[in-house]
Amino acid sequence: MTCSLLGNSANAASPLVFKAGNLSINPYGILDLSLQGGKFTDDHPGHTMVSDGNLQASRIGLKIDYALGNSGYGIRAFGERGLVLRNIWRTGYNEGRISTNRGYGAGVTGPFGSVDMGSLYMPIYWVFLDSDVAMYGLSNMASIMSLEHTTTLGKSGTGGFYDTTVRYRTPEVHGFSSELGYSYGNSSIENGPDQNRTSGFNLRYRDGDTRLGYGFNQHDSAPSLTTGELYRQNTHVLSGTVRLGGVLWGANYVYSERDTDVRWFASAQMVNARITFGPGDITLGVSHRIEAEGARAWATHAGYLYSLNTNTQLYTYVSHIENNADSGQGFALLSESYPSVPKGYDPWAMTAGIRWGF
């Protein structure tokens, strides 16, 4: 099982690889389904539903590698398509049952590192993901990721794949590596040639459980498709992990600002931990966000993950967001219908599910 072929792989078991000479083909996938309940907003009753992707987004993917003899150089192609499992048997959902919010690309590898082109994550993403010690990242720490992933970073941060992207990765030397990325965006006549241009870089150090990193991202965007007023958003991320005794700790700090007429900024801090307990792991986390115009929010998370084997995990967790009178942060990653709530409302959610990878 390979977690992502569009960047770093993590928690890999024996991969499913077909080889013929210098050619290798690696299909892979993740299926994640759960039962989820909670009170997501105050003007609708609490409810329980079948959901998917609550530990890790469901997907299918393919990676193809071709080695150029014994030169150390090679070429590769890769791609992922998202799955919506709760609607896989139905028609008419988003014009189909397979979403297209994943990435793809092709590139060249060698002693120099690698160069790829396609729809890719920007370099800041991997620094951000390094700070999550709960094994898989993103939606498993739903409350914390809602704070940092959605509101704080927006389009300029880790919020998805960027079209028409070129990236370069250095080889890892004594634990140090770096990455540069540039997206040409999808500019329109109304907004000019710089619409959605994005660039960034990262610096990372990895040595076992110890990780340190810094990432920077610059994104140009317009408030709407009908105005030519562009703004530039700059985002900085610092992250790190360390093992102290039997506890693996991770933390990050995020700061993001836009050069609009009315100054907008947001910052967030997150600390999380993974503790081996019995046959599985306890995961705990807390995050705090400060945003312009007085918005403040706290988020907490507690969960348990049990591995049946290297590819199959059972999980459960509960998450809570506490908003002040000026903040309306909702569970954007757990409930697409309620990414925001009335200001001052405190949503909560809990889920139990199973994740299987191949």
Side-chain angles (χ1 to χ4, degrees):
M1 183 278 297
T2 303
C3 285
S4 177
L5 295 173
L6 304 174
N8 296 8
S9 62
N11 311 297
S14 299
L16 180 64
V17 179
F18 303 96
K19 293 186 177 182
N22 291 338
L23 177 68
S24 66
I25 300 174
N26 177 201
Y28 65 97
I30 296 166
L31 304 178
D32 184 320
L33 199 61
S34 63
L35 188 65
Q36 170 186 297
K39 189 74 165 62
F40 297 99
T41 185
D42 68 345
D43 53 2
H44 287 77
H47 59 280
T48 301
M49 71 192 99
V50 173
S51 185
D52 56 283
N54 281 348
L55 184 66
Q56 196 175 21
S58 298
R59 73 197 70 171
I60 55 174
L62 182 69
K63 180 183 178 184
I64 300 173
D65 289 283
Y66 184 78
L68 300 176
N70 297 318
S71 64
Y73 292 85
I75 55 177
R76 65 183 179 183
F78 45 84
E80 289 184 354
R81 299 290 292 266
L83 298 175
V84 185
L85 296 182
R86 64 185 182 276
N87 291 285
I88 200 71
W89 56 87
R90 296 166 56 185
T91 59
Y93 184 84
N94 289 338
E95 301 181 356
R97 297 172 296 281
I98 297 179
S99 68
T100 57
N101 64 338
R102 310 298 302 179
Y104 58 87
V108 179
T109 63
F112 62 90
S114 65
V115 176
D116 296 300
M117 295 180 289
S119 180
L120 308 170
Y121 285 120
M122 296 303 290
I124 198 174
Y125 172 85
W126 306 110
V127 176
F128 187 50
L129 188 61
D130 276 346
S131 62
D132 173 30
V133 300
M135 297 186 70
Y136 292 108
L138 300 184
S139 57
N140 61 329
M141 301 195 63
S143 59
I144 294 166
M145 300 302 291
S146 290
L147 289 177
E148 296 191 319
H149 182 279
T150 306
T151 299
T152 304
L153 297 177
K155 288 181 67 64
S156 78
T158 69
F161 299 91
Y162 287 74
D163 294 330
T164 58
T165 295
V166 178
R167 81 174 173 207
Y168 165 67
R169 282 181 171 162
T170 69
E172 187 172 300
V173 179
H174 301 298
F176 291 93
S177 64
S178 183
E179 179 180 335
L180 303 173
Y182 183 84
S183 171
Y184 291 88
N186 52 352
S187 58
S188 61
I189 296 175
E190 293 87 349
N191 295 321
D194 293 330
Q195 167 70 4
N196 289 328
R197 296 279 178 99
T198 306
S199 60
F201 70 92
N202 68 35
L203 298 171
R204 300 167 71 197
Y205 173 76
R206 293 183 292 174
D207 181 13
D209 288 330
T210 301
R211 299 188 177 192
L212 297 171
Y214 168 75
F216 172 77
N217 206 68
Q218 179 176 282
H219 177 77
D220 293 321
S221 186
S224 72
L225 295 178
T226 59
T227 176
E229 180 187 357
L230 291 169
Y231 67 79
R232 172 164 290 177
Q233 183 167 337
N234 293 327
T235 302
H236 306 262
V237 175
L238 284 169
S239 76
T241 64
V242 64
R243 181 174 293 278
L244 298 174
V247 181
L248 182 61
W249 295 90
N252 69 41
Y253 173 76
V254 180
Y255 182 82
S256 191
E257 64 179 354
R258 299 173 184 165
D259 60 353
T260 52
D261 291 339
V262 178
R263 182 172 178 263
W264 178 93
F265 76 93
S267 66
Q269 311 86 39
M270 185 269 284
V271 176
N272 68 139
R274 189 172 89 220
I275 308 165
T276 299
F277 183 80
D281 291 289
I282 295 173
T283 61
L284 303 169
V286 61
S287 180
H288 179 235
R289 189 196 68 222
I290 301 173
E291 194 174 352
E293 300 180 356
R296 305 288 187 272
W298 287 89
T300 53
H301 159 93
Y304 190 77
L305 185 143
Y306 172 69
S307 293
L308 296 174
N309 53 50
T310 54
N311 290 332
T312 308
Q313 290 77 36
L314 301 176
Y315 64 89
T316 183
Y317 62 79
V318 60
S319 297
H320 177 258
I321 295 177
E322 181 178 339
N323 289 297
N324 74 351
D326 297 307
S327 176
Q329 179 64 52
F331 285 109
L333 294 176
L334 280 180
S335 179
E336 296 178 359
S337 299
Y338 307 111
S340 60
V341 298
K343 292 182 178 180
Y345 179 72
D346 302 335
W348 65 271
M350 62 184 304
T351 187
I354 183 171
R355 172 206 173 279
W356 178 67
F358 65 88

